[in-house]
Amino acid sequence: MEERARTVLCGANSYDEKYYFNKRFDRLPLEVKQELQILCVSYTEDVGGILTLEFNEDGNLEFKVIADEGDYLFDEIGSVLKVKQYQLEKRELLEKLELYHKALLMMEEKKETK
């Protein structure tokens, strides 16, 4: 099996005050998309920086945090705590998103082999 690239699900940027959602996942229920938007935007409002939720090569969902080098308002400790909080509080949602992503990949692979 060939190695897969990382796939961004969604993200928020406190510097540009923007939210991004990958259209590849448009079939997710509206409530899930809204919950992801609230999660990402709340994170960047509380902590700052840029947060993306990305599926790694194995299909696991990871929180990726980036802060500009000169951003002295970025709360590094708060960032770690907030990510851990979300991982605990949203565990069920995150696990279901991983399953959805893996199913989506299998469907795409099946289409490619036809």
Side-chain angles (χ1 to χ4, degrees):
M1 184 192 276
E2 67 185 61
E3 195 170 306
R4 295 181 175 79
R6 299 182 72 81
T7 303
V8 175
L9 170 61
C10 59
N13 183 328
S14 69
Y15 306 116
D16 296 337
E17 295 183 356
K18 292 192 177 182
Y19 172 74
Y20 167 79
F21 182 80
N22 188 338
K23 297 292 181 199
R24 182 174 178 210
F25 299 96
D26 241 1
R27 292 185 144 186
L28 285 171
L30 179 61
E31 298 82 25
V32 171
K33 292 192 270 187
Q34 289 172 335
E35 192 169 349
L36 289 169
Q37 183 174 6
I38 290 168
L39 183 149
C40 289
V41 172
S42 295
Y43 171 91
T44 57
E45 285 178 354
D46 291 348
V47 179
I50 301 168
L51 172 70
T52 56
L53 272 61
E54 301 179 11
F55 293 102
N56 67 17
E57 298 82 10
D58 297 323
N60 299 316
L61 194 56
E62 297 178 347
F63 288 73
K64 291 292 177 188
V65 177
I66 301 169
D68 285 349
E69 198 173 308
D71 184 357
Y72 300 109
L73 297 176
F74 178 74
D75 183 358
E76 201 167 324
I77 295 170
S79 170
V80 172
L81 295 173
K82 184 66 75 175
V83 167
K84 287 183 184 211
Q85 174 190 345
Y86 287 155
Q87 287 172 328
L88 284 172
E89 290 177 0
K90 306 291 183 185
R91 190 179 93 224
E92 187 176 337
L93 171 67
L94 300 173
E95 288 173 354
K96 287 180 180 179
L97 287 166
E98 287 176 349
L99 285 173
Y100 178 85
H101 180 252
K102 289 172 184 172
L104 192 64
L105 286 175
M106 287 190 332
M107 288 187 328
E108 288 174 358
E109 286 175 1
K110 201 173 194 179
K111 284 181 185 177
E112 290 175 4
T113 58
K114 286 187 177 182

